[in-house]
Amino acid sequence: MQTIVAFALPPYETDPAVRKAAKLIQQGELVVFPTETVFGIGANALDKNACRKIFEAKNRPIDNPLIVHLAAREDIYRYAGSTLPPYAKLLIDRFAPGPLTIVVQNSGAFPDVVTAKLPTVCLRVPSHPVANALISAAGVPIAAPSANRSTRPSATNARDAWEDLRGRVSMIVDSSMTPGGIESTIVDCTGEHPAVLRDGIISREEIAAAVGIPLERLGDTRPTITPGTRYKHYAPDVHVHAVRSGENESKSFSRAIELYRKGKNVRVITLNKLSTVPAEIQVVLETPEAFARSIFSLFRAAERDGVEHLFVVLLPEEGIGRGVNERIRKAAGER
Ligand code: TXA
Ligand code: MG
């Protein structure tokens, strides 16, 4: 399959690349497009044959359901309708459009291939103007997982998506690097209290503040299950070491320095500059937001640069740091 790559330029409503992409979606083809979190690989969510192609292109296990992307907040009410608890409305008012995904009862609108036969479905209204223009122009909801091959780091730019998906999708809509860098926060809205199933750009603290009631602590009441968490994830073809703070930290840095002195290709990704580690092997990101924005592309850059040992210093376990740490731990092969 030939993959067209075209850059989207404003005004997106009339942009030829967006128009072409919308047409392909309507024809049942796959299109890679930017969102405010990461790039997605999209298909018409109402067309089961089109959605099946996503699983083939990504080599994704068929029991891992997809997020449905909608053009406007009102569309959430159209698909989730009467089953929404009051706290879900508060979340929608506060965070949609934006990097929030809610789990709601499937009204029956979406085929089994989208929901993996669960009684629920994930809905999200992206705030990225290209995603928004594409969904509006296509006139259908777009099912889209992250635009990487299964097990690989998510793509935060068109080049990274191209690396994994060229020849497997009809089109890649190019745009600047995605501003968020990690995926949306998934909140289960089917229970009495909201439950965060996947940490993401919006922090638990922000979710809790918006709803004004305690979050359900999964694990206590029911399993922490989004089907995707069962699988290997986010992993580059590099030995990733997740570095915890405390005593282990200095041990890890000694190990990094030792490997480097032995001539190994070593890199350290860190929030704050490390005085004990040679400057030439450090990537210093300075803010948790910058860390989130860059982490997936740095995983892929390390791979391309032939890095053998990538040490990544975990962030404080709060705010966006929680979501970033989850990606680092998974990349390092931890559960
Ligand atoms: O930021 C994002 O959310 C990106 C962009 C493209 O929107 N999408 C994304 O999709 O991260 P994906 O497929 O890589 O991750 C979706 C996660 C998977 O772990 C999947 O198991 C879970 O959502 N999921 C989907 N439907 C679900 C449901 N009904 N209940 C619980 N988890 C669900
Ligand atoms: Mg993914």
Side-chain angles (χ1 to χ4, degrees), residues 41 84 90 113 127 131 134 215 221 265 271 314 324:
I41 168 176
L84 279 179
L90 295 173
V113 62
S127 60
L134 173 62
L215 305 183
T221 42
N265 192 337
L271 187 61
L314 293 165
V324 175

Side-chain angles (χ1 to χ4, degrees), residues 58 60 146 148 154 183 233:
K58 285 195 56 149
R60 180 182 178 99
S146 48
N148 51 280
S154 302
E183 295 84 351
H233 241 112

Side-chain angles (χ1 to χ4, degrees), residues 74-279:
E74 296 68 49
D75 296 334
I76 301 183
Y77 293 107
R78 191 169 140 208
Y79 288 106
S82 55
T83 64
L84 279 179
Y87 68 76
K89 299 200 172 94
L90 295 173
L91 286 176
I92 294 164
D93 283 350
R94 174 79 180 78
F95 299 115
L100 168 77
T101 295
I102 59 171
V103 178
V104 301
Q105 299 299 338
N106 179 15
S107 57
F110 302 106
D112 283 351
V113 62
V114 170
T115 59
K117 298 192 174 158
L118 292 174
T120 54
V121 64
C122 273
L123 302 178
R124 143 163 156 75
V125 182
S127 60
H128 194 293
V130 173
N132 192 273
L134 173 62
I135 304 165
S136 302
V140 290
I142 297 185
S146 48
N148 51 280
R149 281 214 231 162
S150 219
T151 79
R152 307 259 310 134
S154 302
T156 54
N157 58 79
R159 182 204 195 283
D160 289 351
W162 167 260
E163 190 171 74
D164 277 20
L165 297 171
R166 65 170 170 267
R168 293 166 172 258
V169 297
S170 294
M171 182 171 183
I172 297 176
V173 180
D174 198 351
S175 183
S176 316
M177 202 163 159
T178 54
I182 61 170
E183 295 84 351
S184 62
T185 305
I186 303 182
V187 183
D188 185 339
C189 294
T190 62
E192 205 172 308
H193 288 247
V196 174
L197 300 186
R198 178 179 71 183
D199 288 294
I201 291 286
I202 303 169
S203 68
R204 281 173 191 241
E205 293 88 337
E206 290 173 286
I207 299 282
V211 295
I213 55 172
L215 305 183
E216 182 180 342
R217 281 179 46 113
L218 290 179
D220 297 352
T221 42
R222 52 194 167 120
T224 316
I225 282 304
T226 90
T229 53
R230 284 200 295 270
Y231 297 106
K232 182 177 169 192
H233 241 112
Y234 312 128
D237 193 11
V238 173
H239 188 157
V240 177
H241 307 256
V243 181
R244 276 161 207 73
S245 60
E247 197 187 321
N248 258 337
E249 197 175 51
S250 48
K251 259 192 218 148
S252 297
F253 297 148
S254 306
R255 175 96 181 107
I257 295 163
E258 186 192 319
L259 287 163
Y260 179 56
R261 298 253 155 84
K262 279 190 188 149
K264 295 282 183 202
N265 192 337
V266 177
R267 191 169 290 169
V268 182
I269 301 176
T270 171
L271 187 61
N272 304 308
K273 195 169 187 298
L274 303 164
S275 55
T276 52
V277 175

